[in-house]
Amino acid sequence: LHTKAANRFFSETSSHISMLKHLTLKIKTTGPISVCEYMRDALTNPFLGYYVKNDPIGESGDFVTSPEMSQIFGELLGVWCISEWMAAGKSRVLQLVELGPGRGSLACDVLRVFSQLNPVLGETNVSVHLVEVSPKLTEVQVERLTGNQAHICDDRPFYLSGTTLSGFPIYWYRRLEDVPKGFSLYLAHEFFDALPIYKFERTEEGWREVLIDIDPDDHKKLRFVLSNGKTIASVLLTEKDESRQHVEVSPEAGIIVQKLGRRIAADGGAALIGDYGHDGTKTDTFRAFKDHKLHDVLEEPGMADLTADVDFSYLRKSAGNHVTCMGPITQQSFLKNMGIDFRMQVLLRNCTDDSTRTQLIHSYDMLMNPEKMGHRFQFFTVLNTSRLTPCEEKPVSPVAGFTELQMQ
Ligand code: SAH
C-alpha cells in the first residue's frame, strides 16, 4: 500500500532530517505548535536539539557566560555557598546541586573554594550533583571536573558518577527530582532562560496564544500566528490583573522553582539563581543567538541558541509560601556585596604580567559594567524560612550578596 510514499516518509523521518524538517512535518501533522513546544524541541530534542548536539558556550560557540569570563565569578559563588551553609547551621551533609552546568567552569571554581576552605567544612559530607540534559556538555563537564574518570550507570537515578579532582563524589542526572533529598545548595546560572516559554497577546477578544505555523508563501519557512480562540495555555497561564499587552510564561521554570521551594522547605538549604531577567515588567524578550549575534528566532532552529528573559516575579510566586525569596538584585550589586573589589585587588597585586592584568580588568568590566552584564543580569535567592526567622540562641545574619558586605 502506497509503499513509495511510505518509504519516502520514513526516510525523511529518519535521524538524518533537520530540525526544521522535523518541525514542519509536526506542524503539517498536528497544526500550529506553541512557542513552548518549538523552543523545547529546538533546544533539547534528544536527537536534534541545540544543546544535545553542540557545545555552544565560549569564543568558538554562540555565547559567553560569566563563569567562562572570569574565575572570580565562580569563586564568589563558592564563598556564597559556604556562607549560607554556615548561616543555616553547618549541616553535616552538604549537597552542591547545579542546574545546567554548561562547561563545568562554575562548579570547578566553587569546588576550588570548598577545597581551600576545607578546615571550615571539617568533617562535612560534601557531594556534587549536576542536572544536565546535554550529552555534549556532559562530556566537557566530566573532563573538567573528574579528568575523564566517570562511570556510566544504567540502573540508578543518576546516569554517570565519579569523583571530582578535588575528591568529592559527583553524580549526573537529567531531572531535579532524581537528586537525593537532603540539605542542598542549588546553583542555576543561565539555566532558567533556556527553559521553554509560552507567549500570549492581548486582543479585543481577550488573550490569544502566539503559535508557530508554516509560512504559506514559502513552505520551508516558519512564521508566527495568533490562535483563533482561547487555548488551554492561554486560559491557564494568563492572569486576570495583568496589565501588559504581551506576556511570556515558562510553566517549566515555575515547576522547577516550586520543586526547589519544597525541597528547601523540607530539607533545608538555599537556591541561588543568576540570569538575565525582569520582575514581571517586560513583554517580548524571546530571541536567538548565533555566533555571538542576534539571530531570527524562526530561522535554523536547532542551530541557534533560543532564550527568553527570566520573569523573577513568576519564580517568586512559584516558590511557594514555605520559603523566603530575596531579589532580584543586579549582578553588579550582588558581586559588589560579595566582595569582588577586594578579590580584584588581591589578584591584581599578585599579577606579574601585563596581558593577565589587562584580561582581569576586561572581565571585571564585562561582569560589573551596568551597560554590559552588570545590570542585565540579576540574582535571586530562595531560602529556608528559618534562615531569616530570629530566635533566642542566634540573631539573624545577613544573606551574603543580598545585603551589603559587612566589614569586620
Ligand atoms: N550554567 C552554565 C551554562 C549555561 S547554558 C554557564 O553559566 O556557563 C544552559 C545550560 O543548561 C546548559 O548546560 C544546557 O545543556 C542546560 N540545559 C538546558 N535545558 C535544560 C533542561 N531542560 N534540563 C537540564 N539542563 C538543561
Side-chain angles (χ1 to χ4, degrees):
L1 270 177
H2 307 300
T3 335
K4 263 194 188 158
N7 279 347
R8 224 185 82 213
F9 176 78
F10 285 116
S11 72
E12 277 180 349
T13 49
S14 78
S15 61
H16 300 294
I17 71 167
S18 71
M19 173 59 73
L20 182 63
K21 186 84 191 171
H22 161 73
L23 290 166
T24 45
L25 272 172
K26 196 178 203 176
I27 296 170
K28 275 184 192 157
T29 314
T30 58
I33 56 172
S34 65
V35 173
C36 183
E37 198 172 344
Y38 175 80
M39 196 171 168
R40 182 181 295 122
D41 237 350
L43 292 182
T44 54
N45 175 295
F47 301 106
L48 302 166
Y50 173 75
Y51 279 116
V52 174
K53 287 190 311 183
N54 299 295
D55 169 5
I57 309 164
E59 292 296 324
S60 58
D62 295 315
F63 59 96
V64 181
T65 62
S66 297
E68 298 298 324
M69 204 111 51
S70 165
Q71 66 178 75
I72 304 183
F73 184 85
E75 287 170 358
L76 294 176
L77 265 58
V79 172
W80 186 89
C81 289
I82 299 285
S83 156
E84 274 313 298
W85 167 77
M86 290 171 76
K90 299 190 181 177
S91 90
R92 288 168 55 89
V93 172
L94 165 53
Q95 299 193 143
L96 175 71
V97 184
E98 191 181 352
L99 309 180
R103 309 197 83 244
S105 307
L106 177 58
C108 259
D109 295 336
V110 168
L111 291 177
R112 193 170 51 255
V113 172
F114 280 24
S115 297
Q116 282 161 357
L117 295 180
N118 207 25
V120 180
L121 284 166
E123 298 296 298
T124 313
N125 186 351
V126 178
S127 53
V128 185
H129 305 263
L130 304 181
V131 180
E132 178 59 86
V133 287
S134 160
K136 199 89 187 169
L137 286 169
T138 300
E139 239 174 69
V140 183
Q141 293 152 18
V142 168
E143 145 63 18
R144 298 281 304 275
L145 291 157
T146 71
N148 262 341
Q149 298 298 315
H151 316 283
I152 296 171
C153 313
D154 286 330
D155 51 351
R156 309 294 293 269
F158 44 86
Y159 60 88
L160 274 178
S161 73
T163 306
T164 66
L165 296 171
S166 38
F168 302 116
I170 182 166
Y171 307 89
W172 276 262
Y173 311 79
R174 292 194 181 83
R175 308 173 315 160
L176 172 63
E177 8 331 13
D178 293 334
V179 176
K181 304 237 173 336
F183 182 95
S184 304
L185 294 170
Y186 301 90
L187 298 178
H189 184 258
E190 285 216 37
F191 168 75
F192 281 96
D193 70 273
L195 299 181
I197 51 152
Y198 285 91
K199 280 170 92 68
F200 306 104
E201 237 175 72
R202 189 194 293 281
T203 69
E204 280 174 7
E205 285 91 48
W207 288 103
R208 292 293 177 261
E209 187 178 344
V210 178
L211 300 171
I212 293 171
D213 199 359
I214 297 168
D215 187 338
D217 298 330
D218 181 349
H219 283 232
K220 288 205 171 75
K221 284 198 153 163
L222 299 171
R223 61 161 189 169
F224 287 114
V225 291
L226 269 193
S227 64
N228 289 328
K230 295 175 182 170
T231 63
I232 295 175
S234 76
V235 173
L236 292 179
L237 299 173
T238 52
E239 301 275 345
K240 286 214 169 53
D241 56 357
E242 178 60 64
S243 58
R244 288 170 288 175
Q245 292 298 313
H246 188 132
V247 288
E248 297 172 336
V249 186
S250 173
E252 208 160 301
I255 288 167
I256 292 178
V257 172
Q258 188 182 52
K259 283 184 185 144
L260 288 177
R262 285 190 185 147
R263 293 171 75 108
I264 290 168
D267 309 316
L272 182 64
I273 298 172
D275 225 308
Y276 35 78
H278 58 93
D279 215 2
T281 50
K282 285 203 185 169
T283 55
D284 185 6
T285 72
F286 182 41
R287 60 200 181 282
F289 283 97
K290 192 161 187 258
D291 295 329
H292 302 265
K293 287 195 223 62
L294 272 172
H295 185 78
D296 185 331
V297 282
L298 297 183
E299 283 213 353
E300 298 180 274
M303 310 289 283
D305 181 36
L306 294 177
T307 170
D309 278 17
V310 175
D311 180 349
F312 288 105
S313 69
Y314 184 68
L315 298 195
R316 193 182 301 112
K317 263 184 254 159
S318 308
N321 297 329
H322 302 294
V323 284
T324 304
C325 297
M326 288 178 87
I329 64 165
T330 65
Q331 170 157 306
Q332 184 195 36
S333 302
F334 178 80
L335 295 179
K336 215 172 190 70
N337 292 340
M338 286 305 304
I340 190 169
D341 293 336
F342 306 108
R343 183 76 187 124
M344 260 303 272
Q345 277 167 20
V346 173
L347 288 176
L348 287 174
R349 208 178 304 132
N350 295 339
C351 166
T352 45
D353 70 291
D354 278 351
S355 78
T356 316
R357 169 177 287 269
T358 313
Q359 169 58 29
L360 271 172
I361 295 170
H362 169 74
S363 49
Y364 175 93
D365 182 57
M366 286 298 288
L367 295 179
M368 295 292 283
N369 191 329
E371 309 273 301
K372 296 176 183 165
M373 293 166 127
H375 279 189
R376 285 188 39 233
F377 279 77
Q378 319 258 314
F379 277 84
F380 179 83
T381 183
V382 181
L383 304 163
N384 183 291
T385 300
S386 68
R387 173 67 179 82
L388 296 174
T389 314
C391 66
E392 271 175 29
E393 308 92 71
K394 204 169 65 71
V396 171
S397 57
V399 178
F402 290 83
T403 30
E404 260 179 53
L405 189 69
Q406 306 288 303
M407 296 294 295
Q408 310 261 340

